[in-house]
Amino acid sequence: MESPWEVVNVELKVAEETVLVEVESAARRLPCPTCGEPSPIYDSSTRRWRHLDTCQFQTILSTEVPRVKCLEHGVKRVQVPWADRRSKFTAMFEQLVLRWLEVACISAVAELFGLSWGTVDGIQKRAVQRGIKRRSYEEGRRLPERIGIDEKSFKKGHDYVTVICDQTGGNVVHVADGRKAEVVEDYLKSFDEKERASVRTVAMDMWQGYISAVTTWIPDAEKKICFDKFHVAQHLGKAVDQVRRAENKKLRAEGNDALKGTRYHWLGNSTELSRERLAELAGLTKVAKRTGRAWVLKEIGMDAWRYKSRGWARKALTKWYESAIRCRMEPVKKVARTIKKHMEGIINAIYHGVTNARSESINSRIQWIKYTARGFRNRERFRNAIYFHLGGLDMTPEALKPIGFHTS
Ligand SMILES: [Zn+2]
């Protein structure tokens, strides 16, 4: 405790497993919370905060918090230095809860500290609000040079949010409701023209809504839109899976279940597969010929990423398209047509070396968030959790920040 606050009594309540710490201020005047002007005490009332446990005992801080009468601002409750405004916890306690929330879900943290789910949710929500507020105060809100746009589903795939990330820093910078073109437009047009012109790449899926939003608001968008490897691979992987499912049905009708349970065998990138798995796939392609062909087409298509120049990448993709469109597997042909239509954007991605590492790591962390929350019922909670885990925000409680950085 710093002057004028001091601990005047510590009481050990064994039966209640509680330590009660009483704090008092002897000052006759305290600063007005609005202007900082030392003002006379007007009245006071008892308030309590939960602090870090003492051994296994819950520790409660209790004090008479005065209200001061400022000549300019009237009667105001003073700001105590150990807790944020409106919080029932000391800043050190809140910080500990936030640390735990980084690695565990809300219900686990609630159980650990003997708090309700809603209380822990509230601590997380306030932390995110603090972080977003600080980001705009201290650094200014800015448009990243390399943007990634993606949609994420929740509520068992019935609802969506659009996630915009900074591909350089790897942080999520914006989470918007739904996946319509307008949500991307609203975000982009909140920046001035100069800033929009400074965007160098926009990585996204081959989806018309996002494409038209970016084309409208980013100058020279046709050179900057990148359909990254991650999304192209996702489309091709889906096509392989559709072919596999159809063939599996056919084979099982003939009493052959060689393809059963092999869904994930075909999704990975061949360059990352083990020798054993590759041998297994080679064996499978002898029985499941169509799935094998679809898989080989996917692998050849992804090979275009080996090139560095626009010319070579275009040549490789065009050649790939010509064989894919003749393959007599409708799911693969459908992706081939999509790839042809969006070829320049794919070439942009290859040329700019837009890597999918960031999108993939953000993607897998959002999967983790969804998994640990056992499905979000509400969009706001999902959005909060994304900001909390991926926003790169400074969410330290105000009371732990050096004076002069307070934003509330
Ligand atoms: Zn004042």
Side-chain angles (χ1 to χ4, degrees), residues 32-37 39 70-74 76:
C32 157
T34 309
C35 64
E37 184 65 29
S39 310
C70 169
L71 288 176
E72 200 181 332
H73 299 103
K76 295 269 178 191

Side-chain angles (χ1 to χ4, degrees), residues 362-386:
I362 287 179
N363 207 48
S364 61
R365 294 193 62 192
I366 290 180
Q367 282 308 115
W368 178 83
I369 291 168
K370 260 160 66 171
Y371 173 74
T372 50
R374 309 276 186 278
F376 281 82
R377 281 150 305 183
N378 139 340
R379 183 182 277 144
E380 198 202 326
R381 291 220 182 94
F382 186 41
R383 191 171 46 196
N384 257 322
I386 294 175

Side-chain angles (χ1 to χ4, degrees), residues 329-340:
M329 288 178 283
E330 201 40 52
V332 178
K333 284 162 78 171
K334 197 175 155 212
V335 180
R337 283 189 286 269
T338 309
I339 286 181
K340 190 188 182 205

Side-chain angles (χ1 to χ4, degrees), residues 7-63:
V7 175
V8 291
N9 189 29
V10 177
E11 197 180 332
L12 179 63
K13 299 184 166 188
V14 179
E16 293 162 45
E17 301 199 336
T18 304
V19 176
L20 186 69
V21 180
E22 285 173 68
V23 175
E24 252 180 41
S25 151
R28 296 253 178 101
R29 298 171 87 86
L30 283 167
C32 157
T34 309
C35 64
E37 184 65 29
S39 310
I41 308 290
Y42 180 76
D43 62 0
S44 67
S45 56
T46 310
R47 286 205 55 198
R48 292 169 157 233
W49 296 265
R50 176 148 172 214
H51 187 46
L52 301 175
D53 290 359
T54 309
C55 297
Q56 69 273 43
F57 285 6
Q58 271 196 22
T59 301
I60 306 292
L61 221 75
S62 169
T63 187

Side-chain angles (χ1 to χ4, degrees), residues 74-120:
V75 177
K76 295 269 178 191
R77 188 174 309 282
V78 302
Q79 177 60 45
V80 295
W82 54 83
D84 284 9
R85 210 156 256 281
R86 285 181 292 277
S87 177
K88 286 183 284 183
F89 308 99
T90 66
M92 284 168 86
F93 182 85
E94 275 202 40
Q95 182 75 336
L96 181 65
V97 170
L98 294 176
R99 284 275 154 81
W100 273 101
L101 278 172
E102 284 171 20
V103 293
C105 65
I106 291 180
S107 42
V109 176
E111 204 189 315
L112 179 67
F113 288 101
L115 297 168
S116 73
W117 195 96
T119 303
V120 179

